Amino acid sequence: METATAKITPEIVEAHGLSPEEYERVLKAIGREPNLVELGIFSVMWSEHCSYKSSRIHLKKLPTEAPWVICGPGENAGVIDIGDGQAAIFKMESHNHPSYIEPYQGAATGVGGILRDVFTMGARPVANMNALRFGRPDHPKMKHLVQGVVAGIGGYGNCVGVPTVGGETNFHKAYDGNILVNAMTVGVADADKIFYSAATGLGNPIVYVGSKTGRDGIHGATMASADFDENSDEKRPTVQVGDPFTEKLLIEACLELMATDAIVAIQDMGAAGLTSSSVEMASKGGAGIRLDMNKVPCREEGMTPYEMMLSESQERMLMVLKPGKEPMAEAIFRKWELDFAVIGEVTDTGHMVLEFDGEVVCDIPLAPLADDAPLYDRPHVPKPRPAPLAEVPGSADLGADLVKLIGCPDLASRRWIWEQYDSQVGADTLQKSGGDAAVVRVHGTRKALAMSTDCTPRYCFADPFEGGKQAIAECYRNISAVGALPLAVTNCLNFANPQRPEIMGQIVGCLEGMGDACRALDFPIVSGNVSLYNESKATGGGSAILPTPAIGGVGLMQDHSVMATIAFKAEGEAIFVIGRNNGHLGQSLWLRECHGREDGPPPPVDLAAERAHGEFVRKLIAEGKVSAVHDVSDGGLLVALAEMAMAGGLGCELEQIGDHFTAFGEDQARYVVTSAVADTIQAAGIPMTRIGTTGGTSVKGPGFDVPVATLREANEAFFRDWMEG
C-alpha cells in the first residue's frame, strides 16, 4: 500500500513540520528510513503541541506539589483533594488556531476536548469556563469570530449538559490575526476512584470506544505548532467537527464502566488522536502496543493507516481492559449507542506495531517518541524593564473618565456572551459570570468550588516577570473574594514564535513570575497546556500576540452559605479599601482608553501583601462581617466601586477619591469591602481605609456625580450596539 512504500523526500519531511536535524534523530531512533505512517507518527508526537519541546525545560521549574495535590502535571488533568473522600479534577487547554479558521467548530471542539480530559480520569464534569482574546472590535473579521466562538462554546456546553459558569474576554489589536480560545473544565470524583493512563498487563486488550474515525482534524497538532499565513483558510479540513450529544453519551458510558473494575488504563483521543493516546498509554506503562488497523471503526471509505492514526475526530477514547471484561464493557457502550472495538493488545516489546491488511505498516520503538522527544533550551533575551511614566496627563473630569472606562470593550458588560451559555444546568451553580469567581456547589454537600480565569496580557508584555506574578495573584484574589481558599492552578500558556529570542524571553520571564507567585501563595500548578506560534503573517509583518499565560484557579469553600458577592447590599454601610493605594497608572486601562497610551511599567506585585490581605478577606467573609467584596483590578478603584453599584442597583458617596491617581491606579493586593458592623473590622498590619458609605442612586465623590443608570447604560452599550449594528 502507498503509505508504507512512499519515498520520503526532504519536502515531505518539511511538510510534516520536522527540521532536518529532527529527521536525523528519527533515523537514529529507528535505525532506518521511516515509511510515511511512521514519519507521520513522529511528526505529531514531536510537534510543539504534543512534546512541549521549547517549554519543557522551563515548565520543570514550576511548583507542582502540596499536601492536597493528588496528581500533578503529566496526566490528562490535575487532581486535588477536597476532603470527605472527594477530589476535584481540572485542566485548561487551547484551541486557538482552529477557532480562527472555523470559529464555531474550533471553539466547540475545544470544549469537547477539555471535557474528555476531565472525565477520562473518572470525574463527572461540573463546570466549564473559558478565557478568550480577540482583536480590535472594528477589525472586519472580528464580529464574525466573536459570534462564532461564543456560539460554539454555548452550543457544545449547553448540549452536553455541563454549565458554563464564567471566564474572561479581552480585546487588543495584537490578536487581530490570531485569536485565543482557552477552555477549562472542572469535575468531581471519588478520591479512591481516579483513573490513569499507563497501559500495563501483557496481553491485555486495547479497546476503542466512542465515535467512528473520519478524515477531519488530520494534522491538527502540526497546524497548532506553526505560524499563520495568508493561506490559513486552506487549513479548514484540519479543524475537527464536534458532536456534543455523542460526548454526553460517552461521559455516561465511561462513568458507568468506571463503576466496575474493568479498566486498567484510559486515555482520551485529543491532539494527534489515536497516535498520541496509544503512544502515551504504552510509554507511561513501559509497555509495547500492537494495533490491528483493520479493526478501527471508520466512518469514511478507504481510510489508510496514516489517516486513521493522525485523525483528530472527536468523542473517542482508548482503554486497556482486564482480560475477559470485554463483553460487559461492550454491552455498556452498545447500550449508549457508541462504537466499541477491540483493536489490539498490550505487548512487552517496547514498540508500537501497526498491522493493516495482514502487513506490518509501522514498527517503531516507543521510548524515542515520548521520552526522547527533542528538548530545546532556546536562546532568550530578557525584556528590559520599562522606564517609569514620564509625565502623567491629568483628568479634567473623573466622572466622564469613569463612564468612558466602564463602556470600553475590556470592561463592558459581558451579558451578551454569558446569556448564550446555560449556567444553571445541574442546579448547583451558586455564582456565575459577573462576579469575581464562579461558585459551584459540590453536589449534595455544603461545600463549593470557586473558580476563576485570569491574565493581564498588557502587563505581561511590558514586564513578563511582574505580569506572570500578577496573573497568579489576581486569580488568588478572585477566589479569595468569594470566600474560598485557593488550592491549585491550571494554565494555558499562549505565546508567539519561541524561535525568536525576545518571545522566548517573554516565556521564561512569565514562568519565573508565575513560579514565584505560586510558591508564595501556596497555589501549585497541577495541569496545563502550552500553545506557541500564536502569530500571524496575514496581518502584515509577523504580528505576535501579547504574551498570555492564562491562569485557571480552583478554590474550596467549606460552607457555601457564607459566600460573598460583589453587589452593594444595603444603604448606609461603610466602604473600606484593604491594601495600599500608590496611584500606579503605568499600563493602566485609564491611560490607554482616555489618553491612547500603552506605556510605563505594570503595577508591582507584593506577594506577601497578596497572601496577608487574601487571608484577612477570607476571615472577614467566614465571620460574616462583610456584606460585599470585590477585588480591585482593571480600571482601578473607581471602576470596582462602579461595578459593585451596578450589581446592587445602589449608589455610594465617597470621600477619599479626589484625583485620577486614586480613582484609576491599578495597584495590586487590594479589595473593596462593605460592612454594616464597621467598628468590628480591624487587623494588625493590614492597611485599611474607610472611603465612603453606600446609598443613593449615583456614584458620587469630590467633583463627580454619575447616576448608576448612566453607568449601566454605558456598560451595556458596547456589545449590544456592536452585535445589533
Side-chain angles (χ1 to χ4, degrees):
M1 58 164 297
E2 82 293 352
T3 49
T5 56
K7 179 80 180 126
I8 304 299
T9 64
E11 292 74 29
I12 288 176
V13 171
E14 189 184 359
H16 280 76
L18 291 169
S19 69
E21 296 76 25
E22 287 169 346
Y23 184 61
E24 283 301 316
R25 290 182 64 150
V26 172
L27 295 177
K28 201 166 153 208
I30 62 175
R32 58 175 168 78
E33 195 166 88
N35 63 35
L36 196 60
V37 180
E38 294 166 335
L39 182 73
I41 287 170
F42 270 99
S43 97
V44 290
M45 289 309 297
W46 285 8
S47 70
E48 196 70 66
H49 195 74
C50 293
S51 74
Y52 298 164
K53 56 192 173 189
S54 299
S55 54
R56 239 169 42 238
I57 200 162
H58 301 290
L59 294 173
K60 288 178 181 160
K61 303 171 191 168
L62 293 171
T64 58
E65 294 177 351
W68 53 90
V69 173
I70 295 173
C71 176
E75 270 296 335
N76 284 298
V79 188
I80 56 171
D81 189 333
I82 57 169
D84 308 310
Q86 292 179 302
I89 299 183
F90 58 100
K91 169 101 174 278
M92 190 181 202
E93 281 222 330
S94 61
H95 234 222
N96 303 334
H97 288 178
S99 300
Y100 185 80
I101 295 167
E102 185 68 76
Y104 184 94
Q105 288 298 350
T109 51
V111 173
I114 197 64
L115 282 163
R116 283 194 301 283
D117 275 337
V118 167
F119 74 75
T120 192
M121 295 196 69
R124 178 168 290 282
V126 296
N128 285 334
M129 298 191 76
N130 52 71
L132 313 176
R133 319 280 164 186
F134 297 106
R136 291 165 299 174
D138 56 5
H139 184 281
K141 226 177 155 169
M142 215 46 62
K143 183 171 165 181
H144 159 75
L145 289 170
V146 173
Q147 288 171 329
V149 164
V150 171
I153 291 169
Y156 204 101
N158 298 355
C159 292
V160 86
V162 177
T164 300
V165 294
E168 56 171 349
T169 307
N170 293 139
F171 296 88
H172 192 279
K173 62 179 185 288
Y175 305 100
D176 279 356
N178 196 128
I179 62 172
L180 301 184
V181 175
N182 296 173
M184 174 175 169
T185 295
V186 181
V188 174
D190 290 341
D192 60 353
K193 290 206 182 101
I194 312 284
F195 289 82
Y196 297 101
S197 58
T200 54
L202 182 61
N204 279 352
I206 294 169
V207 174
Y208 170 119
V209 300
S211 282
K212 290 180 165 59
T213 294
R215 289 191 169 98
D216 55 328
I218 292 173
H219 288 305
T222 317
M223 172 191 68
S225 308
D227 299 344
F228 270 179
D229 56 26
E230 295 77 1
N231 307 319
S232 61
D233 277 353
E234 293 171 8
K235 295 181 176 166
R236 189 155 293 174
T238 62
V239 178
Q240 313 89 331
V241 178
D243 175 0
F245 297 106
T246 302
E247 182 105 341
K248 174 64 175 165
L249 300 177
L250 190 59
I251 292 174
E252 298 305 332
C254 285
L255 291 176
E256 185 174 333
L257 185 60
M258 285 166 167
T260 72
D261 65 346
I263 299 174
V264 175
I266 179 167
Q267 173 82 29
D268 82 296
M269 296 193 215
L274 191 50
T275 293
S276 65
S277 53
S278 54
V279 169
E280 284 171 22
M281 290 176 84
S283 57
K284 278 180 189 161
I289 194 163
R290 185 193 67 78
L291 301 180
D292 181 347
M293 303 308 289
N294 291 91
K295 292 185 175 163
V296 173
C298 291
R299 65 165 171 262
E300 298 182 47
E301 289 294 312
M303 286 191 71
T304 64
Y306 178 90
E307 291 172 322
M308 292 180 220
M309 290 305 288
L310 299 196
S311 165
E312 294 186 12
S313 294
Q314 297 291 291
E315 293 89 37
R316 302 179 301 155
M317 313 283 271
L318 202 61
M319 300 182 180
V320 177
L321 298 182
K322 292 181 181 169
K325 300 289 185 181
E326 302 95 324
M328 176 194 68
E330 179 166 11
I332 290 173
F333 281 88
R334 297 281 180 219
K335 178 184 84 176
W336 291 100
E337 299 179 357
L338 295 165
D339 272 282
F340 178 99
V342 178
I343 63 166
E345 63 187 7
V346 178
T347 67
D348 59 2
T349 63
H351 278 233
M352 169 186 263
V353 177
L354 308 179
E355 295 170 6
F356 186 67
D357 289 350
E359 289 179 28
V360 172
V361 293
C362 167
D363 183 351
I364 46 182
L366 281 158
L369 275 178
D371 311 338
D372 304 336
L375 178 62
Y376 296 125
D377 187 356
R378 298 202 185 273
H380 59 275
V381 179
K383 177 144 189 178
R385 300 199 75 140
L389 277 179
E391 91 287 0
V392 180
S395 172
D397 184 340
L398 294 182
D401 284 358
L402 174 61
V403 172
K404 185 168 187 179
L405 270 178
I406 210 80
C408 79
D410 274 5
L411 292 177
S413 167
R414 300 324 191 210
R415 181 192 304 279
W416 179 86
I417 295 178
W418 52 256
E419 280 187 344
Q420 297 184 53
Y421 303 152
D422 185 341
S423 60
Q424 301 301 321
V425 60
D428 282 319
T429 305
L430 302 174
Q431 194 169 160
K432 58 182 185 182
S433 302
D436 281 327
V439 182
V440 176
R441 177 172 41 221
V442 179
H443 196 73
T445 73
R446 297 198 66 78
K447 294 185 301 193
L449 296 173
M451 52 205 82
S452 178
T453 58
D454 296 283
C455 181
T456 312
R458 63 182 189 277
Y459 293 176
C460 294
F461 180 70
D463 184 336
F465 178 71
E466 285 297 327
K469 274 165 60 179
Q470 192 273 342
I472 296 286
E474 186 174 341
C475 191
Y476 180 89
R477 272 203 305 279
N478 280 327
I479 291 170
S480 296
V482 297
L485 174 66
L487 288 178
V489 166
T490 183
N491 60 53
C492 199
L493 306 173
N494 309 273
F495 294 92
N497 184 342
Q499 290 164 273
R500 291 163 54 192
E502 71 276 16
I503 302 295
M504 202 61 220
Q506 295 173 353
I507 297 171
V508 174
C510 284
L511 285 172
E512 283 178 356
M514 286 165 53
D516 281 7
C518 289
R519 279 183 283 271
L521 300 172
D522 259 351
F523 203 23
I525 291 175
V526 296
S527 60
N529 171 243
V530 180
S531 173
L532 303 180
Y533 297 95
N534 286 292
E535 53 186 80
S536 165
K537 300 182 178 75
T539 49
S543 71
I545 63 159
L546 299 180
T548 311
I551 302 301
V554 174
L556 179 66
M557 205 178 289
Q558 294 296 346
D559 181 358
H560 57 69
S561 67
V562 297
M563 174 184 81
T565 62
I566 73 169
F568 285 156
K569 303 296 186 298
E571 301 248 351
E573 294 196 338
I575 305 172
F576 292 95
V577 178
I578 294 167
R580 293 190 197 287
N581 182 4
N582 299 311
H584 187 97
L585 288 171
Q587 296 300 329
S588 66
L589 275 189
W590 175 81
L591 197 62
R592 186 180 88 194
E593 295 297 325
C594 297
H595 295 281
R597 285 172 51 180
E598 293 185 55
D599 59 340
V605 180
D606 177 341
L607 293 168
E610 291 287 1
R611 181 164 185 152
H613 301 178
E615 287 170 352
F616 179 53
V617 165
R618 295 196 299 271
K619 183 168 177 284
L620 291 177
I621 294 169
E623 292 172 357
K625 289 184 174 176
V626 286
S627 52
V629 182
H630 191 14
D631 89 309
V632 179
S633 57
D634 279 352
L637 180 56
L638 200 49
V639 163
L641 289 158
E643 288 169 342
M644 298 173 85
M646 289 187 295
L650 184 65
C652 58
E653 187 151 350
L654 308 165
E655 300 111 37
Q656 301 281 347
I657 299 184
D659 60 24
H660 51 297
F661 293 100
T662 49
F664 305 118
E666 295 183 6
D667 299 280
Q668 300 295 296
R670 291 190 298 162
Y671 300 80
V672 178
V673 301
T674 58
S675 177
V677 288
D679 51 345
T680 67
I681 296 186
Q682 56 207 314
I686 302 280
M688 204 160 119
T689 313
R690 180 169 177 160
I691 59 163
T693 309
T694 58
T697 57
S698 63
V699 174
K700 190 172 169 184
F704 62 93
D705 187 345
V706 187
V708 175
T710 303
L711 290 168
R712 181 170 285 119
E713 168 55 28
N715 191 235
E716 297 282 349
F718 165 69
F719 268 104
R720 183 192 67 214
D721 297 351
W722 188 31
M723 291 304 167
E724 289 174 7

